[in-house]
Amino acid sequence: MPATLFIDGAAGTTGLEVAERLAPRPEFRLVTLDAERRKDPAARREALNDADFAILCLPDEAAREAVAMVDPGSRVRIIDASSAHRTAAGWTYGLPEITGRRAVAEARRVSNPGCYPTGFLTLLAPLTRCDRHPPLLPADWPYTVNAVSGYSGGGKPLIARFADESRLAFRAYGLTMGHKHLAEMQAHAHLVHAPVFSPSVVRAYRGMVLDIPLPLGAMRTHATARDLHARWLDVYADCPAVRVAAWGADPGELLLEDGAPSWDGIDLHLFEAPGGGQLRLVAKLDNLGKGASGAVVQSLNLMAGLPETAGLRLDGEFTGGE
């Protein structure tokens, strides 16, 4: 018998892409509410409590309200795609490559990572955390991260703005450094300081490139660039959604192309300056794939006891070469 699944917020960008991925899956039966009942608290409460799984594709406050609707004895297991619970007690962070597959599989409340933190943490967390391996990089370094995303990451308002303003090509924002993703970046990389984060948006519907510059020669570490690369290879050896570029691979350029297909993986690159001393850790992903809807499906698969990659879109040319 298929598991019942309710997507609260199914009409939003993330909800639509989750539903598209799950529609052909016989393991799940989607519970849907018509446009009028989607705004009815009683209908939402019933759908939430009667489902085996619920996915919240809502603004933060609405996600908190939805969680409050769940009865104490309800069997429903929740994946929250908002940022409301990403550092909250009692919630498991839905990045199984870092958190651990078993932790996600056994969780009743999973908070989906943000798209920018997915890139940041996949690059940095294996190098700064000390839970599975000795850290290679100091947790108290003032890390910086520069990132560019497709405009779909801003939801319907930003999608409409790019459609209406034909001259709009680049948007830098978060200029006062109060971005809501900072807390999860700091917490899940086990950092002393929040990183200095420079996000931006370009005229491409989907896609993301995230860059962490490392002045390795000035840092308090004996680790080399090869050590960092070897750590990635070790940690991600059995992670099908993560691809690590071969040592020394140089694609020449990394591109975001408007009209690119959806993709649920992430590519990691390490670039070293001649003579060493300076590095760039670079991640490329789809902000709507591994950065949102693909990550929801990956966690859902684990929670439902299904193959981790079922329904994921992991084909595609590797940007790094091997």
Side-chain angles (χ1 to χ4, degrees), residues 15-245:
L16 289 169
E17 291 228 350
V18 170
E20 181 184 358
R21 285 164 170 77
L22 295 178
R25 302 274 304 274
E27 308 98 319
F28 301 102
R29 179 174 66 83
L30 297 182
V31 177
T32 59
L33 301 177
D34 59 35
E36 192 170 306
R37 297 185 72 222
R38 281 201 301 265
K39 300 178 182 179
D40 180 353
R44 288 177 59 212
R45 179 185 293 273
E46 181 180 2
L48 281 165
N49 283 284
D50 287 350
D52 295 306
F53 297 96
I55 298 171
L56 310 182
C57 300
L58 301 165
D60 287 6
E61 189 54 41
R64 295 186 185 98
E65 291 172 357
V67 172
M69 291 180 180
V70 176
D71 297 333
S74 175
R75 71 176 183 274
V76 68
R77 300 171 69 187
I78 297 175
I79 301 174
D80 181 12
S82 81
S83 61
H85 299 102
R86 290 175 183 162
T87 59
W91 287 77
T92 298
Y93 196 61
L95 189 58
E97 294 87 356
I98 301 300
T99 306
R101 290 185 180 89
R102 182 174 179 178
V104 174
E106 296 178 351
R108 299 201 61 80
R109 301 288 185 267
V110 170
S111 182
N112 212 47
C115 51
Y116 290 118
T118 294
F120 178 80
L121 293 168
T122 307
L123 289 169
L124 194 64
L127 311 178
T128 57
R129 289 169 59 125
C130 57
D131 45 1
R132 285 190 282 175
H133 306 274
L136 295 175
L137 296 178
D140 61 351
W141 184 261
Y143 292 97
T144 62
V145 53
N146 308 297
V148 60
S149 173
Y151 58 83
S152 58
K156 290 182 177 179
L158 191 59
I159 292 171
R161 183 178 176 191
F162 269 84
D164 293 340
E165 300 179 28
S166 60
R167 297 179 62 186
L168 181 58
F170 178 89
R171 173 181 180 256
Y173 70 106
L175 302 177
T176 57
M177 291 169 284
H179 199 286
K180 66 180 182 179
H181 288 333
L182 287 171
E184 64 186 288
M185 289 179 174
Q186 180 179 358
H188 296 294
H190 296 180
L191 301 180
V192 174
H193 312 289
V196 178
F197 178 35
S198 300
S200 57
V201 177
V202 293
R203 183 171 283 281
Y205 183 75
R206 64 171 72 236
M208 174 172 286
V209 176
L210 187 140
D211 186 343
I212 303 175
L214 289 182
L216 196 63
M219 300 174 75
R220 298 186 308 279
T221 179
H222 296 293
T224 66
R226 280 191 176 272
D227 293 332
L228 307 188
H229 186 264
R231 173 65 56 83
W232 284 351
L233 292 176
D234 181 27
V235 169
Y236 299 127
D238 62 346
C239 296
V242 181
R243 303 188 299 196
V244 178

Side-chain angles (χ1 to χ4, degrees), residues 95-97 118 241 263-266 285-292 294-295 298:
L95 189 58
E97 294 87 356
T118 294
W263 182 55
D264 296 328
I266 181 169
L285 64 153
D286 178 355
N287 60 292
L288 293 180
K290 180 62 171 166
Q298 185 178 359

